Amino acid sequence: MSVPVIISDEQVKKIITWPIVNEAVEEAFKAICCSADFAWLRKHNKESSADQPARTRTNINNINNHGLLFTMPGFVSNYTLNSKKYSTLGCKMVTMFKENEKRNPPLPSILANIALFNSETGQLECIIDGTEITAWRTAAASVIATKYLYFKRKNYIKEPIVAIIGCGVQGKSHSLGLCHTFPIKSIQLWNRTTEKAFSLLNCLESEKENFINKNINITVFSSIDDCVRNADIIVTSTYVDEPIIHFNMLKKDVHINAVGCGPTSHHVELSQKIYDKSILYIDHWAGASVELKDLKCNIVCEVGEAIIDQTKIPEEGISIFQSLGMAVEDVTTAQALYEAFKKQCE
C-alpha cells in the first residue's frame, strides 16, 4: 500500500490562490444543491452531486486538559476543476484545545487537517493541513455569493464600496478575497480594537499591487454606522451577543455576507428588522434547518441554486448570504490544491 502524500501548512501557503479556491467552492455550491430532489437543477448542472453528513463531535477529557474533535466528511461527485472532471471523498478533522496557547512553545488552539481518499477504492491518498484552507474557503464562499447575488444584478455598482466589520482572520481573508477578485473602489474597516483594524489596513496596503483595482482606497473607521452607511457590500465577521448593524444604517441595495456568530446563534450580528426587509440565501438547507431554525427571514434558496438558475438572483433590495460553512467546500478545495501540488512536483 502506498504512503499518502503529506502537504504541510507552509506548502499550502505556497500554492493556494484565489482563482483555485473560488472555482472549487463554486463547484461545491452547485453540487450540494443538486443533491436534493430537483431534477431541473441536476439536469442543468450536468449531474454533479454531493453527500455531506452532519459533523460529529468528540469530547476529550484529559487529567489536565479538555479538548474537542470535530469530523466533517464529504463526497462530491462528477464536478469540474480546471476543465477536468473529479470525484472527491474527504474528511476534515478539527481539534480544539484551548490550553495549547499556554504551552511552551505555544500551539494554536484550533488545528485542522483534511484527508483525501481515492473515491474508487477508499485508499488514503493525501493528508493536507486544513487551517489555511478553512480561512480561504470561508471567504471564497462569500466571494462566490457576492459574484452572483451582487455583481449579477442588472444595476450593480461596477466599482463598489466594501465594509468589513471585524478584522480578525475572516475579516482579513474576506478583504483579500474580494479585492483579488473584484474591482473594489474602496474598502472600509472597523474592529472593536482599532489596532487590529490598522493592522489589516497595513496588510492590504502591502498587497495593493496584486488587487484588481491597484488604486483602491483603504480606511479605518471608529464607528460601525459610519463604516457601513455608504457600503454596497458588507462583510460581518464578529463574535457578538446582540445585533451591531441596524436597518437605518444601510443603503437600499446592499449585499451582506454574514459570517460571524455569537454564543447561541449564527444570526446575531444583524437586527431583526434587517432580516424582515431582506431576502436570505444559504449555503445548504441541512445546516440551515438546524443552525438557523430560530431565524425569521425570507430564505430564497441555496447559493448553488442561484448560480444554476439565475432567475433566483435579486434585482434590487437587501440580500444576505448567511454563511455556515460546508465540508464539501473543504474537500473540493483540498482536491484542487492536491492537484496543484502534484503539478508543481512534476
Side-chain angles (χ1 to χ4, degrees):
M1 185 177 292
S2 60
V3 177
V5 173
I6 307 293
I7 304 177
S8 69
D9 181 59
E10 292 74 17
Q11 291 168 316
V12 169
K13 289 176 180 177
K14 289 179 181 178
I15 58 178
I16 196 167
T17 67
W18 288 106
I20 287 175
V21 182
N22 289 344
E23 181 186 30
V25 169
E26 184 166 338
E27 288 296 306
F29 270 137
K30 291 188 290 185
I32 197 68
C33 81
C34 287
S35 300
D37 189 22
F38 299 128
W40 187 92
L41 287 173
R42 289 200 303 274
K43 177 181 176 182
H44 286 78
N45 193 40
K46 298 180 182 177
E47 299 184 2
S48 74
S49 62
D51 187 21
Q52 180 178 255
R55 71 179 182 179
T56 66
R57 168 179 169 147
T58 303
N59 290 291
I60 301 101
N61 291 304
N62 292 320
I63 295 174
N64 298 315
N65 197 1
H66 173 73
L68 294 169
L69 167 66
F70 297 99
T71 57
M72 285 155 275
F75 173 62
V76 189
S77 174
N78 195 35
Y79 70 101
T80 304
L81 292 174
N82 199 23
S83 301
K84 294 182 180 180
K85 286 290 185 179
Y86 292 90
S87 290
T88 301
L89 174 64
C91 182
K92 184 166 82 168
M93 297 154 285
V94 181
T95 56
M96 183 183 300
F97 286 81
K98 293 183 178 180
E99 297 297 313
N100 278 1
E101 295 174 354
K102 299 177 183 178
R103 292 180 177 273
N104 187 19
L107 290 170
S109 59
I110 298 175
L111 297 165
N113 288 278
I114 301 169
L116 294 177
F117 304 88
N118 185 298
S119 63
E120 298 292 330
T121 67
Q123 185 175 4
L124 179 62
E125 291 188 338
C126 176
I127 300 172
I128 181 169
D129 191 287
T131 305
E132 196 78 4
I133 289 173
T134 301
W136 283 60
R137 65 81 160 154
T138 304
S142 294
V143 168
I144 298 305
T146 303
K147 172 183 173 182
Y148 287 93
L149 304 181
Y150 182 79
F151 283 98
K152 295 290 186 180
R153 297 184 183 194
K154 291 180 180 178
N155 298 316
Y156 73 92
I157 304 298
K158 289 184 172 59
E159 293 187 346
I161 295 171
V162 171
I164 302 291
I165 306 302
C167 297
V169 171
Q170 283 304 325
K172 177 181 177 180
S173 59
H174 276 74
S175 299
L176 292 169
L178 290 166
C179 291
H180 276 90
T181 309
F182 306 118
I184 306 302
K185 177 181 180 180
S186 62
I187 191 159
Q188 303 177 168
L189 310 174
W190 178 91
N191 195 75
R192 182 177 56 83
T193 55
T194 308
E195 293 82 3
K196 187 172 282 188
F198 276 104
S199 177
L200 178 53
L201 181 148
N202 292 333
C203 171
L204 297 176
E205 287 284 355
S206 69
E207 283 277 322
K208 280 172 72 169
E209 285 302 311
N210 299 315
F211 292 165
I212 300 297
N213 176 18
K214 296 174 175 50
N215 297 314
I216 187 171
N217 183 49
I218 308 165
T219 311
V220 170
F221 285 78
S222 58
S223 159
I224 295 178
D225 194 339
D226 292 338
C227 188
V228 303
R229 188 163 294 279
N230 66 339
D232 304 294
I233 299 164
I234 299 172
V235 175
T236 59
S237 58
T238 64
Y239 184 82
V240 292
D241 57 7
E242 61 183 19
I244 56 173
I245 298 180
H246 300 274
F247 180 73
N248 61 2
M249 298 178 177
L250 304 177
K251 291 178 69 173
K252 65 177 183 177
D253 293 321
V254 66
H255 172 69
I256 303 171
N257 297 300
V259 182
C261 63
T264 59
S265 78
H266 270 278
H267 51 84
V268 71
E269 297 172 299
L270 309 178
S271 71
Q272 183 57 50
K273 188 172 182 181
I274 293 177
Y275 285 110
D276 291 341
K277 301 287 187 178
S278 305
I279 53 175
L280 187 73
Y281 296 79
I282 55 174
D283 41 20
H284 59 122
W285 281 109
S289 66
V290 176
E291 298 186 51
L292 302 180
K293 63 181 179 180
D294 298 323
L295 177 59
K296 298 175 183 178
C297 190
N298 175 26
I299 300 179
V300 177
C301 62
E302 295 172 329
V303 171
E305 187 175 347
I307 293 171
I308 298 165
D309 179 5
Q310 295 191 17
T311 64
K312 305 280 188 180
I313 292 171
E315 293 189 5
E316 59 184 8
I318 301 173
S319 58
I320 302 171
F321 168 52
Q322 198 78 41
S323 179
L324 300 175
M326 300 190 290
V328 290
E329 297 168 349
D330 294 305
V331 300
T332 55
T333 302
Q335 183 73 61
L337 293 173
Y338 180 36
E339 298 304 318
F341 178 80
K342 289 190 291 185
K343 187 173 182 179
Q344 187 182 71
C345 294
E346 290 176 352

